[in-house]
Amino acid sequence: MDKPPIFHLAPLQGFTDFVYRKCYHQLFGNINAYYIPYISLGPGAKIRNSQLRDLLPENNQEVPVVPQVLCSNLSELRELAPIIRDFGYSKLNLNMGCPYPMATNRGRGSALLEKPDELQQMFDLLFSKFNFEVSVKFRAGITDEEPIFKLIPLLRAYPFSQHIFHPRTAKQLYKGQANRDLYARFVEAFGQPVVYNGDISTASDIAQLQQLVPTQHEWMIGRGILSDPFLIARINKQLPDPTTQTEMKRTFHELVFEEYQRHFSDNGQVLMKMKSFWSYFANSFSNPHKAFKIVKKASSLTKFKASYPETFRLY
Ligand SMILES: Cc1cc2nc3c(=O)[nH]c(=O)nc-3n(C[C@H](O)[C@H](O)[C@H](O)COP(=O)(O)O)c2cc1C
């Protein structure tokens, strides 16, 4: 019998923050786990306030979250893992996929794919010193697709709860299409269940992947959900009628807006957050370009409040 699909929300720094996760979970609730965008050591070996706020247990109550760390070596992991443990989390995801030079130049994210010895030490620490349920999220390599195949024995040597694979190289950033054939080749070589991540935006993307990998049932989706909050309902064939969808979209927006205003006292910050939200949410309107344009040109929160109802009415 086919296993029912399991969906995870991908972490997108600046987009899938605690407000977004909470509001989505409250209204749609069809996601198994919400991966928190990474924490990492910033200037002065400190974690940025925005990253800490996203991780705080009081901001993640009743939402099934998985914290993530971005680090380059054992010593950075030794700093970060206890923070997650001390906040009371039992799960940890290791970022082995971040493609941006800001991270890779420091040996973080996808740079780890070329440092198997470093990785082994990090896995040893995670599995011997901590009681975490550990998962890994990775790409294929920095410039070519071979590193991930070379890492298979190492990945198989530890009891990871999930292996999440985004089939692109770091050089590709998020451009072009995720390489589905590469994904299928990896699953075949790996021989264990893998979570697919990359460019799922319709139910037919899922169906096409299942043609390539018939056993595939676990998915991590980011931009597809940000652009279409009904994507999972659509995939599950549980889409509400159009009137209910419009009402739910309005409610979702109100919830997000209220929560940002509750958590951020600075109007400029609230406006920035809402514009980030709309940069994807606008795609769920019949004319995404016009829908986003209206919101984008708001130069103050007062102007934003006056403008977004028009978007709901017209587009
Ligand atoms: C703006 C942005 C921020 C991201 N932040 C993170 C992050 O903090 N941690 C991570 O593992 N991946 C991060 N990603 C990658 C996403 O989790 C995901 O792998 C990628 O968007 C592909 O999936 P999608 O096509 O379903 O969006 C980020 C991607 C983008 C575009």
Side-chain angles (χ1 to χ4, degrees):
M1 205 176 81
D2 283 349
K3 288 190 180 163
I6 295 173
F7 296 99
H8 306 287
L9 183 72
L12 270 82
Q13 198 82 241
F15 295 93
T16 62
D17 61 14
F18 66 102
V19 165
Y20 183 89
R21 298 190 299 266
K22 178 181 165 182
C23 298
Y24 182 97
H25 192 60
Q26 199 173 321
L27 207 60
F28 299 97
N30 46 15
I31 282 181
N32 191 66
Y34 297 74
Y35 283 68
I36 303 181
Y38 63 75
I39 58 164
S40 61
L41 296 176
K46 289 223 164 67
I47 298 171
R48 286 177 202 282
N49 280 342
S50 59
Q51 292 181 5
L52 267 186
R53 187 169 43 215
D54 219 20
L55 185 68
L56 286 173
E58 60 261 41
N59 287 338
N60 289 290
Q61 276 165 9
E62 286 158 44
V63 181
V65 292
V66 181
Q68 185 189 62
V69 294
L70 177 78
C71 54
S72 63
N73 53 34
L74 194 59
S75 90
E76 286 193 353
L77 184 61
R78 277 208 181 103
E79 299 284 320
L80 295 171
I83 297 173
I84 290 179
R85 181 199 52 204
D86 295 347
F87 275 146
Y89 293 110
S90 60
K91 298 181 179 177
L92 180 146
N93 178 265
L94 180 66
N95 182 319
M96 294 160 53
C98 186
Y100 292 114
M102 213 175 62
T104 54
N105 288 345
R106 293 181 176 151
R108 297 173 177 173
S110 54
L112 287 174
L113 297 166
E114 296 186 347
K115 300 198 289 183
D117 295 341
E118 206 75 58
L119 273 179
Q120 184 166 3
Q121 290 177 13
M122 290 160 77
F123 296 166
D124 280 342
L125 178 81
L126 287 174
F127 285 101
S128 66
K129 279 252 155 50
F130 298 91
N131 263 336
F132 290 124
E133 214 180 87
V134 186
S135 58
V136 275
K137 180 168 181 280
F138 47 83
R139 289 187 175 233
I142 308 250
T143 51
D144 68 86
E145 296 165 349
E146 289 320 299
I148 201 59
F149 289 90
K150 290 199 189 124
L151 282 182
I152 285 178
L154 185 62
L155 289 173
R156 291 185 58 122
Y158 296 83
F160 291 109
S161 57
Q162 265 99 18
H163 304 88
I164 305 155
F165 183 29
H166 178 63
R168 279 188 172 98
T169 61
K171 200 173 146 203
Q172 290 173 291
L173 298 173
Y174 296 100
K175 294 184 201 130
Q177 262 282 323
N179 186 341
R180 294 174 180 178
D181 292 324
L182 166 67
Y183 181 78
R185 221 162 32 90
F186 177 75
V187 173
E188 170 97 38
F190 193 53
Q192 285 181 19
V194 181
V195 181
Y196 176 85
N197 168 242
D199 303 346
I200 298 286
S201 56
T202 62
S204 85
D205 288 326
I206 298 263
Q208 285 169 25
L209 262 146
Q210 273 174 331
Q211 292 263 315
L212 284 175
V213 185
T215 54
Q216 188 63 40
H217 74 284
E218 209 167 337
W219 314 88
M220 172 179 270
I221 308 180
R223 293 167 297 179
I225 292 173
L226 289 168
S227 295
D228 174 11
F230 293 98
L231 178 60
I232 294 181
R234 217 179 286 286
I235 294 167
N236 286 337
K237 298 195 170 50
Q238 290 170 344
L239 200 60
D241 62 73
T243 315
T244 311
Q245 278 184 53
T246 309
E247 272 169 24
M248 284 175 77
K249 263 171 74 170
R250 281 178 197 272
T251 308
F252 184 41
H253 180 267
E254 287 309 312
L255 278 176
V256 168
F257 190 27
E258 270 169 27
E259 283 292 303
Y260 278 137
Q261 290 179 97
R262 197 161 72 79
H263 285 280
F264 297 90
S265 50
D266 179 60
N267 282 354
Q269 231 178 340
V270 176
L271 181 63
M272 204 183 71
K273 287 274 171 199
M274 289 311 292
K275 286 187 180 179
S276 297
F277 173 78
W278 272 94
S279 67
Y280 284 106
F281 185 60
N283 293 326
S284 66
F285 287 76
S286 58
N287 189 331
H289 179 71
K290 286 200 173 157
F292 185 47
K293 202 169 153 197
I294 288 190
V295 168
K296 201 168 109 184
K297 72 174 189 216
S299 54
S300 68
L301 203 59
T302 312
K303 286 186 179 150
F304 170 76
K305 280 182 193 165
S307 69
Y308 75 77
E310 192 188 338
T311 315
F312 276 100
R313 210 172 43 247
L314 295 179
Y315 306 110

